[in-house]
Amino acid sequence: MDIMLFHSVYGLRPAVEAAAERLREAGHQVWTPDLFDGRTADSTEEGMALKDGIGKDELLKRAVLAAAPYSDRGLVYAGFSFGASVAQTLALGDEKARGLLLLHGTSDLAPNVSVDDLPVQLHVAEPDPFEPDDWLSAWYLQMRKAGADVEIYRYAGAGHLYTDPDLPDYDAEAAERTWAIALAFLESL
């Protein structure tokens, strides 16, 4: 499977490269575009400032340019938190997308978006301050209405970015469960 994996607001850090390597070891080809041009953050606030400083339109342009050379292959779009929102936007706009793997995040949907049974898997903490229950319920219904085949996995007590071993949110058990389920999802595509 060809996977385009987008980083969180922390930037392209070792945890993203480690995740990409885990996916490669499972037989996938993985690209990890650096939407922040080498800059990384040490906190969520610093990362949000980086993201906001570059701007939503520029970040989306960078993501599209990173994916464009490979999109004819039928990519699986994936991402962490902010990167998940980028992945969702690209997957819903790419008629050749093979799947969408969301780790720790979602995004708004355009009102008239439509996909043809796009397989979508979301892994998110429970509770998650960035993905509250009401939002997730509405998001799920919108994704289903758009035609996506959605699975949601919740991890009670885990922090927001619980798969990143370099952050305080890290939860080893939840992270390993997430990767086991995500790898099975990717194999099914």
Side-chain angles (χ1 to χ4, degrees):
M1 198 60 52
D2 294 319
I3 302 170
M4 188 66 52
L5 179 63
F6 294 101
H7 60 74
S8 73
V9 295
Y10 283 86
L12 188 58
R13 297 171 54 255
V16 179
E17 294 296 356
E21 192 54 38
R22 182 186 289 242
L23 294 168
R24 289 181 188 112
E25 287 171 3
H28 305 290
Q29 183 150 359
V30 184
W31 293 273
T32 55
D34 186 351
L35 302 181
F36 289 178
D37 291 330
R39 292 175 288 174
T40 59
D42 293 323
S43 69
T44 302
E45 296 76 21
E46 189 180 323
M48 295 297 277
L50 268 175
K51 176 182 77 77
D52 294 343
I54 296 167
K56 184 178 179 177
D57 291 343
E58 177 62 22
L59 288 166
L60 190 56
K61 176 182 167 188
R62 291 176 185 185
V64 168
L65 290 172
Y70 312 104
S71 63
D72 279 347
R73 299 177 182 209
L75 290 171
V76 171
Y77 292 92
F80 297 96
S81 192
F82 153 73
S85 69
V86 172
Q88 177 184 305
T89 300
L90 268 59
L92 294 179
D94 181 353
E95 62 186 31
K96 292 184 179 182
R98 304 255 328 255
L100 175 59
L101 176 60
L102 303 171
L103 302 161
H104 322 295
T106 62
S107 183
D108 293 328
L109 277 72
N112 298 321
V113 70
S114 177
V115 294
D116 189 17
D117 292 325
L118 178 71
V120 178
Q121 193 174 84
L122 168 64
H123 297 268
V124 65
E126 181 179 32
D128 188 318
F130 299 101
E131 302 290 327
D133 291 342
D134 290 351
W135 165 260
L136 284 176
S137 295
W139 175 85
Y140 174 82
L141 293 172
Q142 289 177 310
M143 287 293 278
R144 294 290 299 155
K145 183 179 176 187
D149 181 13
V150 183
E151 299 175 355
I152 298 177
Y153 295 88
R154 305 289 306 268
Y155 299 86
H160 175 65
L161 277 168
Y162 65 82
T163 59
D164 189 327
D166 298 324
L167 295 177
D169 286 350
Y170 183 61
D171 183 315
E173 183 180 328
E176 286 308 310
R177 280 197 340 247
T178 295
W179 285 115
I181 295 166
L183 288 168
F185 169 70
L186 294 169
E187 285 301 315
S188 75
L189 300 178

